[in-house]
Amino acid sequence: MKKPTRRERIHCALNSPSVLTFPKQPFQTGVITRKDTPPKKKTHPPAPPEPQWNIIQKAAAKALDAVEAALVSSELQHPLPKTADPRVQIAGNFAPVAEQSVKHELTVTGKIPECMNGVYVRNGANPLHEPVAGHHLFDGDGMIHAVTIDGGNSASYACRFTETQRLTQERQLGHPVFPKAIGELHGHSGIGRLLLFYARGLFGLVDHSQGTGVANAGLVYFNQRLLAMSEDDLPYQVRIKSSGDLQTIGRYDFDQQLKNTMIAHPKIDPVSGELFALSYDVVQKPYLKYFKFSTDGKKSPDVDIPLDVPTMMHDFAITENYVIIPDQQVVFKLQEMIKGGSPVIYDKNKKSRFGILLKNAKNAEDITWVDCPETFCFHLWNAWEEPETDEIVVIGSCMTPPDSIFNECDENLKSVLSEIRLNLKTGESKRRPIIQSSEQINLEAGMVNRNRLGRKTKYAYLAIAEPWPKVSGFAKVDLSTGEVEKFIYGDRRYGGEPFFVPRDLSSDSDSEDDGYILAFVHDEVTWKSELQIINAMTLQSEASVKLPSRVPYGFHGTFISSKDLENQV
């Protein structure tokens, strides 16, 4: 019997085409400066200019490329796990698309609500180059998709890469050279890739001094700036042009105040307008820092949070007076690479706990830690204080197996919407599923009404992550009763994060659910994408904006009103 090839052995868990097709991207240098109108006919993008290297650098580049080719050849002798196989991770509508300049006068069915006047932007991973070996969905270059609504039924669309230092260097080189944190950095080959990368740095072939991040996860509009974020770098500022196009300004360090990376889920307090954030380090102590920014962008001093090991901390929560810090069981252990494994692991011997720290704390001396066994929340949707019981209530989706996003396992992933109660007086915790077990569904990616973030909320709007990792609709969940209302996109139609936009952006309505849900939806039969606008009170569709090109499944977004954009920096 013929021995199956590696391509034949690996099953595509997404049930999507496993042959990858990479679009040709228009070439540019530096930040985006293209005209808003596309060329009249298709043209091949010009070749990137040759790097200006001396004879020693050219010889070093040739030698290191040969070493990398040998490393890749060795890697491909063995099957890749599904969590690192690009034919699984970026197949179907997870595959990348080409940039699109602004397309105006889009077709709209239904009527866009009058209050919906501004820009909806959503981030996602969109690798510029085809992977040469391992690749995880989270490894892709950041691309922002933007739908501008000008009032009435007038809408336009554009999508652009966030021009990170990593992307601009790899574009010039013509191939990926920066290590991929999840898809490549495991085992001995991961160590080899790190050594290759730093060797290229020593010869001046790449420059990692200005960051290595992809800016593909979160988006926040703060201090008159749109910031694109991934937790491995500083944020990148992206300007929304009057035409509806996007322009990368560059890495944003808050006027040289931010020296460390910042996680992709900072929180804006709806009352004070302050922004709260964390930064984690996987190599040296302190492994975690907390800080905040005033409304005019002034940064507070860092507060070092004492952790024994570097913890993977993708999200956190705020209340009216506290920040809630999850110290859970998914940790970074770089020494695991020496043993041939992944540096991101589930540590069953570690206790999960939550830290409660005053927002205005100057140090971590008064932090309160409350153990919460066997709890891993990739995202936290909200938290609030209940002084009558001395409790902090945390709402999050508890995921099992905890590291299943990063490491292959046979057990099916479950993401259970949960209420976690942290007692500040007794130091005890309680956890319960919010939805009855008979109606349990996987809920991941979503939000509450951000006008009530950090305060008690009745509703959460969450993606129905079924069949995982696709999203078949979203659920409106009553957090007190567990009642679930569903909006399903339809047969072979899938979306992503549901984003709630209040009817009145500037104030808190008497009805918490008085607003609309925005979601990109893709039809896998027609291969067309659209932006759906759904009434959050009735779960009835209000309008649909037909998009000129496919929008891949992605991560997180935000809505910026036209009024806020008037003061954009």
Side-chain angles (χ1 to χ4, degrees), residues 334-481:
L334 301 183
Q335 61 268 31
E336 291 294 317
M337 294 172 66
I338 300 174
K339 302 176 184 178
S342 168
V344 184
I345 67 165
Y346 166 63
D347 185 352
K348 63 181 180 179
N349 297 317
K350 184 178 184 292
K351 277 189 177 181
S352 287
R353 60 180 185 166
F354 286 88
I356 300 103
L357 181 69
L358 283 168
K359 284 178 173 177
N360 295 322
K362 303 300 182 186
N363 55 59
E365 290 179 0
D366 294 326
I367 192 170
T368 299
W369 291 105
V370 178
D371 290 346
C372 194
E374 304 302 319
T375 298
F376 176 75
C377 296
F378 196 56
H379 291 109
L380 300 176
W381 311 121
N382 198 18
W384 61 81
E385 302 160 28
E386 293 194 353
E388 61 275 12
T389 59
D390 295 311
E391 288 178 317
I392 302 289
V393 179
V394 180
I395 306 296
S397 292
C398 293
M399 189 177 288
T400 55
D403 63 340
S404 55
I405 291 179
F406 307 103
N407 298 310
E408 187 171 13
C409 60
D410 296 327
E411 185 179 348
N412 290 332
L413 182 144
K414 293 181 180 179
S415 187
V416 179
L417 181 63
S418 303
E419 177 192 89
I420 303 164
R421 289 183 169 267
L422 311 173
N423 195 298
L424 295 174
K425 194 171 185 179
T426 66
E428 297 177 341
S429 68
K430 298 176 184 177
R431 188 183 81 196
R432 70 171 184 90
I434 291 174
I435 301 171
Q436 292 182 5
S437 58
S438 60
E439 300 180 14
Q440 195 59 244
I441 50 177
N442 285 333
L443 296 176
E444 247 300 331
M447 61 185 301
V448 300
N449 184 332
R450 290 191 177 178
N451 283 345
R452 301 193 180 189
L453 190 69
R455 283 76 182 166
K456 187 172 184 177
T457 44
K458 183 177 182 180
Y459 299 113
Y461 309 91
L462 302 167
I464 301 174
E466 296 179 356
W468 179 267
K470 294 180 182 179
V471 171
S472 55
F474 69 86
K476 176 184 179 182
V477 184
D478 187 315
L479 300 176
S480 58
T481 68

Side-chain angles (χ1 to χ4, degrees), residues 232-397:
D232 51 359
D233 206 339
L234 270 62
Y236 274 79
Q237 181 184 351
V238 178
R239 178 178 292 139
I240 300 172
K241 301 168 75 171
S242 59
S243 65
D245 211 340
L246 301 163
Q247 176 186 11
T248 301
I249 303 303
R251 286 175 98 217
Y252 185 62
D253 60 7
F254 290 85
D255 295 327
Q256 301 183 342
Q257 296 178 94
L258 184 61
K259 307 296 183 183
N260 307 300
T261 62
M262 189 170 88
I263 70 169
H265 287 288
K267 309 296 181 187
I268 296 178
D269 188 292
V271 176
S272 71
E274 297 170 300
L275 183 139
F276 301 86
L278 299 175
S279 171
Y280 66 76
D281 193 311
V282 304
V283 177
Q284 61 185 1
K285 289 187 175 182
Y287 295 127
L288 184 67
K289 297 178 179 180
Y290 157 71
F291 49 91
K292 66 174 185 174
F293 294 93
S294 62
T295 55
D296 59 355
K298 296 293 189 296
K299 181 179 175 294
S300 70
D302 291 335
V303 175
D304 297 342
I305 308 297
L307 299 179
D308 293 331
V309 295
T311 301
M312 201 288 293
M313 207 167 295
H314 181 69
D315 201 359
F316 72 112
I318 61 171
T319 69
E320 187 175 351
N321 297 293
Y322 299 98
V323 289
I324 314 301
I325 301 169
D327 178 22
Q328 303 173 122
Q329 292 170 284
V330 176
V331 300
F332 296 95
K333 289 192 176 181
L334 301 183
Q335 61 268 31
E336 291 294 317
M337 294 172 66
I338 300 174
K339 302 176 184 178
S342 168
V344 184
I345 67 165
Y346 166 63
D347 185 352
K348 63 181 180 179
N349 297 317
K350 184 178 184 292
K351 277 189 177 181
S352 287
R353 60 180 185 166
F354 286 88
I356 300 103
L357 181 69
L358 283 168
K359 284 178 173 177
N360 295 322
K362 303 300 182 186
N363 55 59
E365 290 179 0
D366 294 326
I367 192 170
T368 299
W369 291 105
V370 178
D371 290 346
C372 194
E374 304 302 319
T375 298
F376 176 75
C377 296
F378 196 56
H379 291 109
L380 300 176
W381 311 121
N382 198 18
W384 61 81
E385 302 160 28
E386 293 194 353
E388 61 275 12
T389 59
D390 295 311
E391 288 178 317
I392 302 289
V393 179
V394 180
I395 306 296
S397 292

